[in-house]
Each structure stands twice: as structure tokens, then as C-alpha cells.
Amino acid sequence: YDHEDRFKSMKRLFTAYRMFTKIRTQLLNEMESLLYTANPELVQYRKDNTPKWLLRLLGEYPVATDLANASIETLAQIPYVSHERAEEIINAAKDSVASASDSPTQVVMKTLVHQILEIDRSIQDLKKEAAEFVNVPDINLLTSIGAIGIMSAVGLYIELGGCIENYPRTKELGSFWGVHPTIKTSGDGMMVPKMSKNGRKLPRAILFMVVLNGIQNDPFIQNIYHRELKKGKCKMSAIGVCMHKLVRVIYG
């Protein structure tokens, strides 16, 4: 009974995390669309999942006209904004090609930023709760794999059904998650190996994001990824190989 209750709570926690993550992505996309007209010179800083300093800056200076009138000292008080960057941002705002500076645009931008920051806090609360609430040996093993964070580990554990013994071999797990290779025939009769994608969709989505994170931060995945690129594979194929390798590591 205790195991089933914990498993149910784990699913509830992970479902909430997925919901907040999806909403955050939608809000970020809407904010970026608005940024092109309200403050286009700041679009270049949106790399790496939109840094928090940029969100705070947009919350205070939502349009280019506001930013052009800001002082360097005030802007530099925002964490990770140096005096050099503050001066660069203000000078760019003064020569901005922004086409929207009206009051509704300012309100919408501030609202979007506020909502994103609130969701970020909610996501951090969920991660903290997961780290404190979830004390399962298998999840602890999953988080010991460099690129897998706590929420990814919880999601993969749920998709495993809580028991790796359900899968006699790695191939069964790979097939269940749909990451095993299969031969597909194109319209002109050319046969090429591709990922099956016939299994569960959610674990593939988790593995994909884990591999993207690993390519940036985990030497083990980096080596596999670049090795496959050198063999002539395209980026998506190389990512697929990394996903399949990660399934074997998880099974181990």
C-alpha cells in the first residue's frame, strides 16, 4: 500500500511539472514574439533558455524607449549585468528599430515576464519536493547518471513501471520506449535505418531533452555524439544513437 501510494504521488508531482514546463514554453514563445517589436536588440540574449537577468530587465524595462532612458548604474544592479553590458544594452536601445512602445505592449510584456518568473519558482518548488519526497534506490541510481536530473529520473522511473525486472533484456526496454532502430523504406525504394518511435512517447521526449542537456554538459554523451557526427550521421541521428545508448546505461 505504501509503495502504491508513493507511486501515485510521484505521478501527480511529475504531471504538475510537465504542465508547468509546457506553460512556461508557451509564455516564452509569446514573449519572444513580442520582443521582436518591443525590444529587438535584446533577442540575441535569449539564448540558453532565456537567462533570469534578462527576464528581470524586461520586467522593469519592457520596451526599448524605457530602456534607452535607464541609467547604467541602475541597470548594473541587476545580477549578472555588468557596467559594460548595461552600457551596451542602453546604447543599443537608443538606436533601436522597435516599432511598439505603447502602454498595452508594456503591460503585456510585464505580465508575461511576471508569469514566467512565477512558474520558475513553482518548478523549483516541485524539484525541491521531488528531491525530498522521492527516496527510491532506483531513482537515486538514475540521478547518478550525469545528464539526468531529478524530474527526468522520476519520469523515467514512472515509465519503467517502478520495476526494471519487467524487462528481461535491454532490447525489450528499448522497444517499449520506441528507441530501437528499424529499417524504413522511402517512396523511391531506398531503405534507411531510423528510430522506430512505435513505443511510449513520453520516455522518448524525456530522453531527448536529457541528451540535449548531456551534449552541453556531460562528457560521456558528448563523446558519443561527436563520434557519430564524425561517422557522417546528421545531428538528429547522432542524438538518436545517444538516446539508445542512454537506455542501455539506464537498464544497467
Side-chain angles (χ1 to χ4, degrees):
Y1 174 79
D2 289 339
H3 174 76
E4 291 299 325
D5 180 67
R6 180 172 55 190
F7 202 71
K8 185 182 296 183
S9 299
M10 206 179 294
K11 285 184 177 180
R12 188 177 297 116
L13 192 68
F14 186 70
T15 300
Y17 170 77
R18 287 184 63 208
M19 177 189 68
F20 281 124
T21 303
K22 184 177 180 179
I23 295 173
R24 184 183 191 274
T25 301
Q26 293 172 340
L27 291 171
L28 280 173
N29 290 339
E30 187 65 28
M31 189 197 77
E32 181 178 22
S33 177
L34 188 61
L35 197 60
Y36 277 103
T37 58
N39 225 326
E41 287 72 27
L42 294 179
V43 173
Q44 60 177 315
Y45 299 108
R46 260 222 64 201
K47 298 178 181 178
D48 301 326
N49 202 26
T50 308
K52 189 158 289 186
W53 69 262
L54 179 59
L55 292 172
R56 289 191 56 182
L57 185 147
L58 288 171
E60 296 181 25
Y61 309 98
V63 295
T65 51
D66 291 338
L67 195 53
N69 296 322
S71 68
I72 296 176
E73 289 72 20
T74 303
L75 213 61
Q77 292 178 4
I78 299 175
Y80 301 104
V81 177
S82 62
H83 278 76
E84 292 77 13
R85 174 174 282 179
E87 184 177 5
E88 177 185 339
I89 290 174
I90 291 173
N91 289 335
K94 290 179 179 179
D95 299 325
S96 177
V97 294
S99 60
S101 59
D102 54 283
S103 178
T105 298
Q106 296 181 34
V107 172
V108 172
M109 179 66 81
K110 286 185 176 181
T111 302
L112 288 171
V113 169
H114 175 74
Q115 292 297 323
I116 292 169
L117 291 174
E118 283 296 320
I119 287 178
D120 283 345
R121 282 188 280 270
S122 298
I123 289 175
Q124 289 304 316
D125 289 341
L126 290 174
K127 287 182 178 180
K128 182 179 178 181
E129 180 65 20
E132 295 177 354
F133 169 75
V134 177
N135 187 21
V136 180
D138 287 345
I139 292 182
N140 293 331
L141 281 173
L142 287 170
T143 55
S144 70
I145 301 172
I148 299 181
I150 180 63
M151 297 309 299
S152 295
V154 169
L156 292 172
Y157 179 75
I158 292 171
E159 288 297 323
L160 284 169
C163 184
I164 195 67
E165 286 77 12
N166 292 335
Y167 311 93
R169 298 177 301 169
T170 314
K171 289 183 177 180
E172 275 74 10
L173 179 58
S175 297
F176 183 59
W177 285 356
V179 298
H180 62 290
T182 185
I183 302 297
K184 295 188 178 181
T185 307
S186 61
D188 56 2
M190 183 178 294
M191 302 177 66
V192 291
K194 290 191 175 182
M195 185 182 292
S196 169
K197 297 185 180 180
N198 288 330
R200 298 278 296 168
K201 182 178 180 180
L202 178 57
R204 284 199 307 277
I206 296 173
L207 289 171
F208 181 78
M209 296 308 298
V210 167
V211 168
L212 288 185
N213 178 52
I215 290 172
Q216 299 294 324
N217 304 302
D218 187 68
F220 177 72
I221 293 179
Q222 286 174 350
N223 292 336
I224 298 173
Y225 177 72
H226 292 296
R227 181 193 69 194
E228 296 303 317
L229 291 180
K230 288 180 181 178
K231 290 181 180 179
K233 286 186 172 63
C234 67
K235 291 182 178 180
M236 290 303 295
S237 294
I239 289 174
V241 173
C242 293
M243 290 169 63
H244 194 270
K245 179 62 176 178
L246 196 56
V247 170
R248 298 199 296 274
V249 173
I250 289 170
Y251 186 87

